[in-house]
Amino acid sequence: MRKHWLLVVFLTLGLVLRILATIAYRPAIIYTDSVQYLNNMGKLSPDQLNPIGYDFVLGPLVWAGGLTLVVIVQHLAGLLLGVAIYALARRLTVYRWLSAFAAAPILLDAYQVQIEQNIMAETTFDVLLVAILWLLLAKGAPGWRKAALVGVLVGAAFTVRAIGLVLLIAVVLYLIVVGNAWRKRRLDVVRRTAAAVAGFAVVFAAYAGYFRAETGRWGFTGAENQILYGRTATVANCETLPLNEGTRLFCPKEPLGQRLGVDKYAHNHYGDPNWPGPLPPGTTKRQLATEFAHLVIRHQPVDVTWAALKDFAKGFAPTRTNSPNDVPLERWQFQLEYPNLKDPNTTKAAVKWGGSEPQVAHGPAVILRAYQLHGGYTSGTLLALCVLLALAAVVRARELRSAALFPAAAGVILLLGSAAFEFSWRYQLPGLVFFPLAGAIGLRALLGKDQARPAMADYPDAVDAEAVKAFGHKEFAPVVVVIAAYNEAGGIGPVLANMPRTCAGLPVDVLVVVDGATDNTAEIAREHGAAVCVAPSNRGQGAALRLGYHLAARGGARYVVTTDADGQYDNDELETLLEPILLDRADFVTGSRRLGAEDADSRLRWVGVRVFAVLASVLTRKKLTDTSFGFRAMRAGLATAVTLREPQYQSSELLLGALALGARVVELPMTMRRRGDGSSKKGPGVVYGANYGRVMTTTWLREYVLRRGRRTPAQASWRTRSDRAARTSG
């Protein structure tokens, strides 16, 4: 579980939110659509406002435990959806922290939690969406059998929410492009695409056949006419349309520019049995509304399209806003009083299927509402960024292009299809399933594979123990310079040759920890008089330095200095570096290129040094200017007391760990030159920065939050007379 700690944190917070929701609104939140679902559980009439797929889930749960059981199951499903998204991202080699953030919206978004507390179909719909994602993305390009199953699931999604049928477009697009099979194995593309379409067609045909058997006409929902009418009524220019006696009755009375919203025309007007008044003989409301809508679409395609695109864009707003004439946003917000009580059917449904009248627990409701209204949701701008990352990966990355494309395309097509009929924040919720995952896959594709290695066990682990056994025991001078080296044969010689033999009157020894090198680094180090410990396998600089700290302390060293094997630091500054400790003004001293001088070879690294210095200063409340300078000095007891888990990105872990133990930290102006030999092993700059930031934040959480005030005897034993932290600038 330690590896997945960030997901566990998000899961825990998500669980708390869902427990509060279950307590706050009992037996569940019931709206008009909820009553329609509940009334249709036994009849399963397909010509209602909503498809009947959700009723197949709702009926057994209500029978088994009432409405409270329904929302509990939906909340548990919401948590499992977060786990499933995280697991899928990890299977696609997305970094752990990024996978956790891909799952965070579905776990923590207050609007998602609120819809799960509703008797509504959205949670069931989300389960089907995630199942489709897993089938398509988890194990490479799908064969025709898996594609057929995906088609069946798209059909099932359609029976839960009719807009689910547009997902077939994204599925077909993915099946064509995945694996570049359309270039070389076109028969495979045809076979699996046909299988997906056939799987969907089986479900669709069965549903349409059931609809005809029950109603005597072809169709799949009772809402298609009124929703389409509502959309076209908002933009219809009746002065230019060729309307007849019947269709003219459907032209809104409000002039263009003052029209009501889609919801008003589709439900309030069309849903009124007395509207629009007497119809011409031989016509029906359904027939005339459909004819009117088709006239508007045929004569005003640009107006209808533009209206839909404007509604689609609303979903990417930075905040949750309520535009005029849209479905009220408050409908999907936690309220301090039970919602929709003006409708007597709400109370009747709660009593009949929930066993009690609707009620609100004020305390939990206040917490949930405050959370929701003060940032407890996923910004639409962030979702748009996720889409852009996915598209960038499709264009520029070499791997995971199809995996990034599908969730992005599916989300866009689904939300665009919804916006074509009506905008509601409820209809934006599937974006929480698709877009964060698409962005995470896209970012991983752009950055490359994670170079981070698993966290180390407590010292000594198996590699440490083998290295220590081979090294034996050596008595060291009071000052030991520890150098971690991996294939540094070309540069370590000059570094050792220029190392001072004494410092402030104290003898200096050098300990080179060879980290599983495959060249003759160890032989060159011995030729220059250094003590050499060879780790049998390559683990990373952090692991090698930790081993060196313990060997130096065991050998009697009082002070430990670290430097690199590539000649980037000036050995002549050793006495300056060590002086604050020798004068008992500090316990830990680090150089700073920002206070001193730097021959920077990367603009990105220049920026990173400053960004992480600010982050560290905020986290530790200590002014810091350089967290990754490799030329450092510290008391040997402190070096071995700090908890060190990171085999690679270790400098910030050491610095923050020392500060957390109360060490007096001093920064001094120092020089950093370009690398003298070889190339950096830190990986691409952005990947390195992401991992460096991860280590810094997780170290802060571990040392400053989870371990505050709880230290082992070994961690407390190094302390000096003062626990003050200091800083100098030279």
Side-chain angles (χ1 to χ4, degrees):
M1 295 298 288
R2 179 183 293 174
K3 294 180 180 179
H4 312 292
W5 70 268
L6 188 55
L7 174 68
V8 172
V9 170
F10 291 157
L11 270 174
T12 302
L13 294 174
L15 176 62
V16 170
L17 291 172
R18 287 162 172 81
I19 291 173
L20 288 173
T22 305
I23 296 172
Y25 304 94
R26 290 173 287 171
I29 297 178
I30 301 172
Y31 277 115
T32 303
D33 285 9
S34 307
V35 176
Q36 293 172 355
Y37 281 122
L38 291 166
N39 284 329
N40 203 35
M41 286 188 300
K43 297 181 292 184
L44 294 178
S45 299
D47 60 346
Q48 301 299 303
L49 182 64
N50 300 294
I52 62 174
Y54 180 52
D55 286 310
F56 286 100
V57 176
L58 186 61
L61 292 176
V62 171
W63 176 83
L67 299 183
T68 300
L69 178 61
V70 175
V71 297
I72 289 174
V73 170
Q74 290 183 166
H75 284 317
L76 290 175
L79 294 173
L80 291 175
L81 288 174
V83 175
I85 290 171
Y86 175 84
L88 178 58
R90 288 295 298 142
R91 182 177 285 267
L92 294 170
T93 69
V94 176
Y95 321 135
R96 283 192 183 89
W97 62 270
L98 190 55
S99 299
F101 279 107
I106 204 77
L107 294 172
L108 302 179
D109 193 294
Y111 290 88
Q112 175 67 28
V113 177
Q114 198 266 3
I115 207 69
E116 292 171 12
Q117 187 64 22
N118 274 268
I119 303 301
M120 300 287 272
E122 268 63 27
T123 306
T124 301
F125 189 65
D126 286 347
V127 169
L128 292 168
L129 298 184
V130 172
I132 292 169
L133 285 169
W134 260 89
L135 282 173
L136 288 179
L137 304 183
K139 291 186 178 180
W144 69 267
R145 292 182 179 85
K146 190 178 291 185
L149 181 55
V150 169
V152 170
L153 288 179
V154 173
F158 152 75
T159 70
V160 174
R161 281 193 58 205
I163 197 62
L165 65 87
V166 302
L167 287 172
L168 189 63
I169 301 172
V171 169
V172 169
L173 174 64
Y174 175 77
L175 293 175
I176 291 173
V177 303
V178 64
N180 286 325
W182 61 275
R183 292 180 176 176
K184 300 179 181 179
R185 302 187 303 277
R186 296 182 181 179
L187 183 60
D188 290 344
V189 172
V190 172
R191 185 183 295 115
R192 67 192 184 198
T193 303
V197 173
F200 172 80
V202 168
V203 180
F204 185 87
Y207 195 92
Y210 176 72
F211 189 99
R212 179 171 176 79
E214 290 291 310
T215 66
R217 62 184 179 86
W218 291 107
F220 53 84
T221 174
E224 67 266 24
N225 293 315
Q226 66 189 80
I227 297 297
L228 189 60
Y229 167 73
R231 165 55 72 194
T232 54
T234 61
V235 299
N237 186 350
C238 298
E239 299 298 324
T240 62
L241 292 174
L243 302 174
N244 57 32
E245 178 187 1
T247 53
R248 188 169 296 280
L249 295 172
F250 289 79
C251 195
K253 297 178 180 179
E254 298 80 11
L256 281 171
Q258 300 178 26
R259 293 282 168 84
L260 306 177
V262 176
D263 195 55
K264 293 290 185 181
Y265 290 118
H267 299 293
N268 296 51
H269 287 197
Y270 191 97
D272 182 354
N274 298 316
W275 180 88
L279 302 176
T283 63
T284 65
K285 180 192 290 190
R286 180 187 303 274
Q287 170 197 338
L288 292 174
T290 302
E291 184 180 345
F292 176 86
H294 289 171
L295 279 172
V296 177
I297 294 172
R298 194 160 55 246
H299 289 83
Q300 296 179 247
V302 175
D303 294 332
V304 175
T305 302
W306 180 243
L309 289 175
K310 286 195 296 183
D311 278 356
F312 172 70
K314 291 175 184 176
F316 299 104
T319 60
R320 292 287 187 268
T321 55
N322 201 25
S323 300
N325 299 322
D326 283 345
V327 177
L329 176 61
E330 65 180 16
R331 188 175 295 180
W332 317 119
Q333 292 175 336
F334 292 110
Q335 305 296 323
L336 300 184
E337 296 181 355
Y338 196 92
N340 208 37
L341 282 179
K342 293 180 180 179
D343 183 350
N345 291 322
T346 299
T347 299
K348 292 179 182 178
V351 172
K352 181 177 180 179
W353 288 291
S356 67
E357 292 193 355
Q359 51 190 301
V360 173
H362 185 73
V366 168
I367 295 172
L368 289 168
R369 183 169 176 80
Y371 172 73
Q372 187 173 35
L373 297 184
H374 295 87
Y377 57 85
T378 310
S379 170
T381 304
L382 179 60
L383 296 179
L385 177 62
C386 290
V387 175
L388 293 176
L389 285 172
L391 294 179
V394 171
V395 173
R396 300 193 60 181
R398 295 183 178 180
E399 55 179 340
L400 297 176
R401 298 169 66 182
S402 300
L405 173 65
F406 176 70
V412 168
I413 290 170
L414 185 62
L415 299 193
L416 188 58
S418 297
F421 292 94
E422 180 182 18
F423 177 81
S424 171
W425 284 109
R426 164 193 170 194
Y427 299 151
Q428 304 304 303
L429 291 176
L432 302 181
V433 172
F434 287 123
F435 294 146
L437 177 64
I441 297 171
L443 187 58
R444 153 63 184 86
L446 292 170
L447 296 182
K449 290 185 177 180
D450 190 359
Q451 302 299 317
R453 305 183 188 190
M456 298 184 292
D458 290 337
Y459 180 87
D461 63 16
V463 176
D464 293 325
E466 186 175 347
V468 170
K469 182 178 180 181
F471 182 76
H473 181 77
K474 174 178 173 56
E475 292 294 328
F476 285 108
V479 179
V480 174
V481 178
V482 177
I483 300 175
Y486 173 69
N487 291 347
E488 299 285 0
I492 195 170
V495 173
L496 296 176
N498 295 326
M499 187 68 66
R501 301 308 178 194
T502 62
C503 177
L506 297 174
V508 175
D509 281 338
V510 179
L511 170 61
V512 176
V513 180
V514 178
D515 188 34
T518 57
D519 63 2
N520 62 335
T521 298
E523 289 75 8
I524 293 174
R526 290 191 182 99
E527 291 173 1
H528 285 81
V532 177
C533 176
V534 178
S537 60
N538 174 247
R539 296 179 295 166
Q541 185 187 44
L545 288 175
R546 186 181 74 165
L547 175 57
Y549 301 153
H550 283 272
L551 288 175
R554 189 181 73 160
R558 285 183 284 163
Y559 312 107
V560 172
V561 177
T562 65
T563 190
D564 288 351
D566 52 20
Q568 288 187 288
Y569 303 109
D570 187 352
N571 292 343
D572 292 337
E573 295 180 328
L574 178 60
E575 185 168 343
T576 303
L577 182 73
L578 198 56
E579 182 180 22
I581 299 178
L582 297 177
L583 296 177
D584 198 26
R585 298 203 312 263
D587 307 301
F588 185 103
V589 180
T590 178
S592 169
R593 75 199 84 184
R594 293 180 61 193
L595 298 178
E598 175 188 14
D599 184 12
D601 59 351
S602 169
R603 185 67 180 176
L604 182 61
R605 188 168 298 168
W606 184 93
V607 172
V609 168
R610 284 148 181 82
V611 169
F612 290 122
V614 171
L615 177 60
S617 298
V618 171
L619 294 177
T620 63
R621 299 183 182 180
K622 306 292 182 185
K623 177 64 176 178
L624 298 167
T625 64
D626 194 339
T627 64
S628 57
F629 202 79
F631 198 27
R632 300 173 296 243
M634 68 206 84
R635 298 184 188 276
L638 175 61
T640 56
V642 173
T643 299
L644 297 174
R645 301 283 187 197
E646 290 296 328
Q648 289 175 288
Y649 310 95
Q650 47 77 37
S651 59
S652 64
E653 183 183 35
L654 177 64
L655 177 59
L656 267 67
L659 284 167
L661 291 179
R664 297 169 295 168
V665 174
V666 169
E667 286 187 315
L668 296 176
M670 294 275 171
T671 301
M672 185 171 183
R673 299 185 289 255
R674 293 198 183 196
R675 192 180 167 88
D677 181 77
S679 59
S680 174
K681 304 172 182 66
K682 294 177 180 178
V686 177
V687 176
Y688 176 81
N691 281 305
Y692 194 86
R694 170 186 60 81
V695 171
M696 183 177 290
T697 52
T698 54
T699 300
W700 172 81
L701 181 65
R702 183 186 71 208
E703 300 297 335
Y704 281 81
V705 179
L706 301 179
R707 286 187 179 175
R708 172 170 284 186
R710 293 181 299 177
R711 301 294 172 191
T712 65
Q715 288 177 320
S717 63
W718 71 272
R719 291 180 180 274
T720 60
R721 294 192 300 270
S722 171
D723 289 325
R724 294 181 298 106
R727 173 184 177 272
T728 68
S729 59

